Amino acid sequence: MHVFVTGGTGTIGSAVVAELLGNGHTVLALARSDSSAHTLESAGARVLRGDLADLGVLRSGAAQCDGVISLAFGRDYSSPDALAQAITEESAALATLGQELVGSDRPIVTVSGTPWVPGRASVEADPLPTDGPVGGRGRSVNALLSLASQGVRSTAVRMPRTVHNEGKGGFAGLLTDQARRTGVAGYPGDGTQRWPAVHALDAAVLFRLALESAPAGTPWHAVADEGDTVRDIATTIGRRLGLPVEAVPQEDFGPFGPIFAMDQPASSAHTRDALGWRPTHSSLLEDLENIQP
């Protein structure tokens, strides 16, 4: 299959590109800079130059390929306005890609987060939130999945709070970055809230499986660790960086503060049973041992 990939140089995207190429697929990847283009070409992908906001370029990429994996998302989370802008841009991109595939029965796999459900681990059948700081992502993913009725094999891989590789990435990576800046390995609340996690290389396998065989209109959970407590995550970060571990106000984490403070474990039992996905790489707490002072 010839696959159009956006976001192909990120933590998830670079693993997805390698997974596709290593399993007989070819890749056309969106690149917004010379450095991204070089990275993608070195990996073995063809490059289409453009930005996520270049909707004409996105249509062209989708038109040239047998399927699409949409991973690109803005990098500025410094304020609520910046996060909202990234969500708006992603929503327009998904709508454009989906419309290009209408009536073709070609697959498109997008990315979202696992939902949170009070008192238990969320499952694939649980709906995405459509309000709150990231509610716009839920609405755009739901709209894409609804294109299943219009001849699009649309699916969504829901990612846990931390997608990690070599001790970097996801919410745990943001905690590490914050610890380096402030000199404290901080966590919001009492630290008993749980975050699910997955290794990027395991997540990449699930994106390939969804592209190849998942039924239209279906969500899947890329969850390897159902839920590590945030205090355990911060404790590991603090030990690796030689910093004190303390509770800090959730406001210190900017627009992600309310999300960081939530208990949000997630299950992938259905995904494993239905698609045969089996995570094999290190857990989050094991991978955080790669953090260097």
Side-chain angles (χ1 to χ4, degrees):
M1 194 181 297
H2 190 43
V3 187
F4 180 46
V5 177
T6 73
T9 58
T11 300
I12 305 170
S14 57
V16 167
V17 168
E19 176 70 18
L20 292 171
L21 293 171
N23 284 273
H25 301 290
T26 57
V27 172
L28 174 67
L30 186 71
R32 62 174 137 191
S33 68
D34 291 342
S35 61
S36 292
H38 176 72
T39 297
L40 290 162
E41 288 170 344
S42 297
R46 285 180 50 222
V47 165
L48 180 65
R49 290 302 296 265
D51 190 90
L52 192 63
D54 297 330
L55 301 184
V57 173
L58 297 184
R59 281 191 289 270
S60 172
Q64 296 178 51
C65 292
D66 305 309
V68 175
I69 296 181
S70 176
L71 300 170
F73 191 72
R75 299 177 182 178
D76 183 359
Y77 317 133
S78 61
S79 70
D81 286 346
L83 181 59
Q85 175 58 36
I87 291 171
T88 296
E89 183 178 76
E90 180 194 46
S91 296
L94 282 182
T96 298
L97 292 167
Q99 285 301 314
E100 181 62 36
L101 300 180
V102 164
S104 70
D105 292 320
R106 284 179 286 166
I108 178 170
V109 188
T110 191
V111 62
S112 68
T114 51
W116 49 90
V117 179
R120 65 168 173 84
S122 68
V123 298
E124 292 85 346
D126 290 318
L128 292 176
T130 54
D131 54 13
V134 294
R137 297 196 82 184
R139 293 190 296 272
S140 62
V141 169
N142 289 342
L144 186 74
L145 294 181
S146 73
L147 293 179
S149 64
Q150 299 181 50
V152 180
R153 187 159 65 80
S154 52
T155 60
V157 174
R158 296 171 172 180
M159 306 306 296
R161 297 301 158 263
T162 293
V163 183
H164 56 92
N165 194 352
E166 296 297 319
K168 301 175 183 177
F171 278 13
L174 294 178
L175 288 187
T176 303
D177 292 343
Q178 180 105 336
R180 292 186 192 277
R181 287 195 304 270
T182 65
V184 173
Y187 57 87
D190 64 7
T192 61
Q193 67 270 36
R194 294 161 293 173
W195 293 351
V198 68
H199 196 287
L201 297 179
D202 287 323
V205 174
L206 182 54
F207 276 97
R208 176 178 59 81
L209 292 174
L211 179 84
E212 292 172 345
S213 62
T218 53
W220 307 94
H221 278 194
V223 174
D225 309 339
E226 187 168 296
D228 297 305
T229 70
V230 178
R231 187 165 53 209
D232 285 346
I233 295 169
T235 297
T236 304
I237 293 168
R239 176 169 49 77
R240 294 298 303 166
L241 296 180
L243 296 174
V245 180
E246 300 174 5
V248 299
Q250 72 178 45
E251 292 78 13
D252 288 6
F253 298 99
F256 283 114
I259 304 173
F260 277 17
M262 296 177 69
D263 185 49
Q264 45 199 299
S267 166
S268 59
H270 172 66
T271 296
R272 299 184 194 217
D273 289 345
L275 295 184
W277 179 62
R278 297 289 181 270
T280 61
H281 291 84
S282 58
S283 70
L284 172 59
L285 294 181
E286 291 169 343
D287 202 13
L288 289 177
E289 296 296 336
N290 288 296
I291 294 175
Q292 298 300 311

